[in-house]
Amino acid sequence: MSAADFHKLAGLFPNETVTHSYVQDIALPGVDGQPSAGTFALVTLDNGLDHSKPTTLGPNTLVELGTVLEGLKERAARGEIVGVGVTGKPYFLVAGADLSAVKSVSSREHGLWMAQLGHDVYATLANLGVPSFAFINGLALGGGLELALQSTYRTVSTTAGALALPESFLGLIPGWGGVYILPRLIGPENAVKVMIENPLSNNRTLTGPQAYKIGIADALFEPADFVEQSLTWAARVLAGAETPERENAVDPSDPEVTARWAAAVAAGRAFVEAKTSNASPAPAKALDVLEANRTMSQAESAQLECETLAVLMQSDEFRSTVYAFLDLVQRRAKRPAGAPDRKLARPVGKIGVVGAGLMASQLALLFARQLKVPVVMTDIDQARVDKGVGYVHAEVDKLLAKKRISPDAANRTKSLVTGSVSKEAFADADFVIEAVFEELNVKKQVFKEVEAIVSPECILATNTSSLSVTAMAEDLEHPERLVGFHFFNPVAVMPLLEIVRAPATDDAVLATAFELAKGLKKSAVLVKDAAAFVVNRILLRLMGEVTAAFDEGTPAEVADNALRPMGLPMTPFTLGAMVGLPVAQHVQESLHTAFGERFTVSQNLQKLIDNGVKSIWASSNGAAEKGADGKPFIPAETLALMSFGDSPSTAEDVLRRTQDALAEEIGLMLDEGVVAGPEDIDLCMILGAGWPMFLGGITPYLDRVGASERVNGKRFLAPGVASAPALAPA
């Protein structure tokens, strides 16, 4: 590619938020009493915006950085500078490639240009004629970390958070040199962990100290004077007084390393299969490049990386991931569709929780930790109350032991949570939520008792997972004060809150619920009061289809593994055991009552429940046991409880049947106005059920496999929203 091609590419992105490259000449300090070693050029990457707007690498940014580096290369040739450093604005080195720009690349040719542009700029940094240094002062993701890797030396701050190569998670590969440099720098095993295992494990990242420990960085400094310390260290390196030790670095031609390399790639492939069932092409492609480049030059690897990136940029999986990550999790979740004006929200200074069981105790802990307001739990006797408060205190002690909170914060949190056997304790509460048994009459009775005690302005909330909020409000004097506030388990971990608006729920109540969700650091989605709302309705339709196929005579292994091509976080039978068969059956019965035969109630599951069996598969301490062949099995005594039909299905039949059922159910949900649009369905499934990002949630997947059109006659999303654009040039 020529410079003209790069400028042509940059011209396609006139709205890019450019990260500028600012150069400052610095006289390096002398070493061991010697005079200054010379002039050092420090490049600071900064987009001129505050910390809420991370620096990113788009085509215009890369062209500017490349121009600056070419100028520094010329200065180095003239002997004007002895070294070059790159650092970032506060809290960031670089947050990676500009995903909006990458997503808008509409042809393979332009994708190839984008990949080659990054390599061209980074190659200049790696070949300046003088040593280069990356001072990793903050977050460094993807192309940002690869920029550091292309430098000769690296320092990192002890407080630098989120160092990672997340491309496998995003549907790409570390294609600006990371896949080549990293295994040679830190060993193939560590490289697979950083490039494959961490991204596919909820996008795990490294801290500064962790990056230093495995050898990504050569030196570790405190944040207060990080740049000054890094410059002093750079001066010592340039003077020969400091030589970084890279204990994990390897030579790929070493026969021992060759064996390690092959083993690391094999382990990575097994991990990808276990995590995604190879439903996303990117992780396997990253491993393909890693496997191939062991015997390649860096230039040969760069060509392979560019070609691979160009293909992946046009894949539906990458488009779906960017849709899920950028359009939904980063944007829509922060501006919930249908949420009332936040100015209508009422202040909440005290919270009541009805119940002191596990869910209620988790809620009390979350409210106290995040909102820092008094929380009072009630239950029918003192023993239950004491157990609930004791749970909160024990969880706080665990956080303290792990040093995740300070002693002062621990004491404050404990003091905020109290218990009572009388609902009179709610008299001055502003918000009361019930977390009692999932039975409508029980919940109605609770709200009747609470309403008689609380103030007229107090908001009442239910954590029901499937029951009608409207029915709960029928006997209230002020039904407008009741709202659904549905958390997912475990409460501290799952980021979704389904906020349920019943017909009578008023805007002030709803606005307060959304503000509370924000204070709790949860992502809220507004849903209509319909049985099981969004996540549970979809999951139970899915589980119902698989269970029905099993009951009809499909072998358990076939039925339970039929959905593996979807790359879901767990199989239906495993999910049922985790949720609890009685709970799943109860929700299924509610859905059957509401929607009829679309939600079949399995008599086989009921027999297991009646006999105290907790899982279809043999299990021990909640984990599935394996038979002599290494596979899960159903105990003979469990099989004896069940009866089966004589109409077995193939795995392909079960998969297609489930796809079509999900397309039907989501189509009906959208027709009913359960949520504002398919985007909210996807957001709910990603945040509430751990649905894979590379699927884009669920509707892009159903569009991709044709189920949407088979069942509903149309796609849920237009081509290009979460898929490759229609009629994109070859």
Side-chain angles (χ1 to χ4, degrees), residues 232-300:
T232 299
W233 183 82
R236 292 182 58 79
V237 170
L238 291 169
E242 186 93 34
T243 302
E245 296 182 7
R246 294 175 175 170
E247 297 178 354
N248 290 330
V250 299
D251 177 358
S253 64
D254 184 322
E256 181 183 343
V257 174
T258 298
R260 286 173 53 193
W261 204 286
V265 170
R269 294 197 191 282
F271 187 88
V272 171
E273 166 65 25
K275 278 285 187 178
T276 72
S277 304
N278 289 317
S280 173
K285 291 290 186 183
L287 289 167
D288 289 346
V289 176
L290 174 63
E291 184 173 37
N293 76 23
R294 185 188 64 78
T295 58
M296 289 180 169
S297 68
Q298 189 163 0
E300 290 170 332

Side-chain angles (χ1 to χ4, degrees), residues 504-566:
T505 308
D506 74 20
D507 282 351
V509 169
L510 211 57
T512 306
F514 275 98
E515 284 301 293
L516 282 177
K518 185 177 180 181
L520 294 169
K521 299 180 181 178
K522 300 294 183 184
S523 296
V525 173
L526 180 63
V527 304
K528 181 182 176 182
D529 186 21
F533 317 125
V534 175
V535 174
N536 285 335
R537 182 168 169 180
I538 291 172
L539 288 181
L540 267 296
R541 184 72 196 269
L542 177 152
M543 293 169 68
E545 295 299 326
V546 173
T547 303
F550 174 57
D551 290 347
E552 291 161 6
T554 304
E557 184 177 351
V558 173
D560 197 31
N561 289 292
L563 307 189
R564 286 191 65 79
M566 295 173 70

Side-chain angles (χ1 to χ4, degrees), residues 295-376:
T295 58
M296 289 180 169
S297 68
Q298 189 163 0
E300 290 170 332
S301 180
Q303 182 177 353
L304 178 58
E305 292 164 38
C306 290
E307 292 169 353
T308 304
L309 273 177
V311 171
L312 288 174
M313 282 184 202
Q314 297 304 307
S315 70
D316 283 338
E317 289 82 5
F318 168 65
R319 304 285 171 152
S320 290
T321 303
V322 176
Y323 158 78
F325 181 69
L326 198 62
D327 298 341
L328 301 183
V329 175
Q330 296 293 315
R331 293 175 180 166
R332 194 174 182 95
K334 294 175 182 176
R335 294 183 291 275
D341 188 336
R342 59 184 302 184
K343 294 177 183 176
L344 296 173
R346 300 172 187 165
V348 174
K350 180 179 177 180
I351 290 176
V353 180
V354 184
L358 180 58
M359 177 57 78
S361 300
Q362 290 184 74
L363 295 180
L365 175 61
L366 180 71
F367 291 136
R369 281 200 71 202
Q370 300 297 342
L371 302 179
K372 298 176 174 56
V373 299
V375 181
V376 59

Side-chain angles (χ1 to χ4, degrees), residues 112 137 212 227 238 249 281 314 340 398 464 534 572 579 602-603 620 697:
L112 191 61
N137 61 307
Y212 170 68
V227 172
L238 291 169
Q314 297 304 307
K398 290 178 186 177
T464 183
V534 175
V579 170
S602 169
Q603 296 308 305
S620 176

